Amino acid sequence: QVLLVESGGGSVQAGGSLRLSCKASVNIDSLYCMGWFRQIPGKEREGVATIDRHVSRKTYTESVKGRFTISKDNAKNTLYLQMNSLKPEDTAMYYCAAGGAGRCDTANWVPANNLWGQGTQVTVSS
């Protein structure tokens, strides 16, 4: 069973930064796509950022472009999301995910059902 464990969430003021980490129990170089989603209670889950296996393509949802950066360290089997210039509207539970099917971008990618982390809460106050 593959495990994805997120960390790094917390509470910050607007304009602050956080770096989320997602540690995988498998060699992430074998995963064709990894990424981050976020969800606010009562709203649909939103794809935030994706990165493909060879790090040749990174995609972001429009609202985070220029502020968030996705990256991964294959040697550490860890996915990251650097979040800068945080806004109150970034407040959500953030999940990492992997594998699955579809084009590896925030609009089309569907992660594997069993490759989700438990989530880490990000709260941004104004």
Side-chain angles (χ1 to χ4, degrees):
Q1 180 181 358
V2 177
L3 294 177
L4 301 176
V5 180
E6 300 101 334
S7 62
S11 297
V12 296
Q13 290 191 328
S17 298
L18 286 172
R19 188 177 81 155
L20 305 184
S21 299
C22 173
K23 174 75 171 177
S25 62
V26 295
N27 180 2
I28 64 172
D29 191 40
S30 66
L31 300 170
Y32 92 99
C33 187
M34 297 188 74
W36 294 91
F37 288 78
R38 64 186 180 186
Q39 189 166 25
I40 302 170
K43 293 193 175 183
E44 287 192 6
R45 186 177 60 201
E46 175 187 32
V48 176
T50 64
I51 185 168
D52 71 352
R53 177 182 177 186
H54 300 296
V55 201
S56 60
R57 186 165 180 260
K58 302 178 183 180
T59 72
Y60 301 90
T61 192
E62 192 65 32
S63 63
V64 308
K65 285 181 180 177
R67 300 188 298 122
F68 290 12
T69 302
I70 189 170
S71 63
K72 62 174 183 163
D73 186 333
N74 288 344
K76 296 181 178 179
N77 289 323
T78 302
L79 176 73
Y80 301 100
L81 185 67
Q82 178 67 45
M83 305 185 295
N84 298 329
S85 302
L86 282 161
K87 303 176 180 180
E89 51 264 43
D90 295 318
T91 295
M93 184 72 80
Y94 284 71
Y95 300 89
C96 69
R103 183 180 175 88
C104 185
D105 61 48
T106 56
N108 297 290
W109 178 45
V110 179
N113 287 336
N114 63 335
L115 294 179
W116 286 87
Q118 82 289 352
T120 185
Q121 179 67 37
V122 171
T123 302
V124 185
S125 58
S126 58

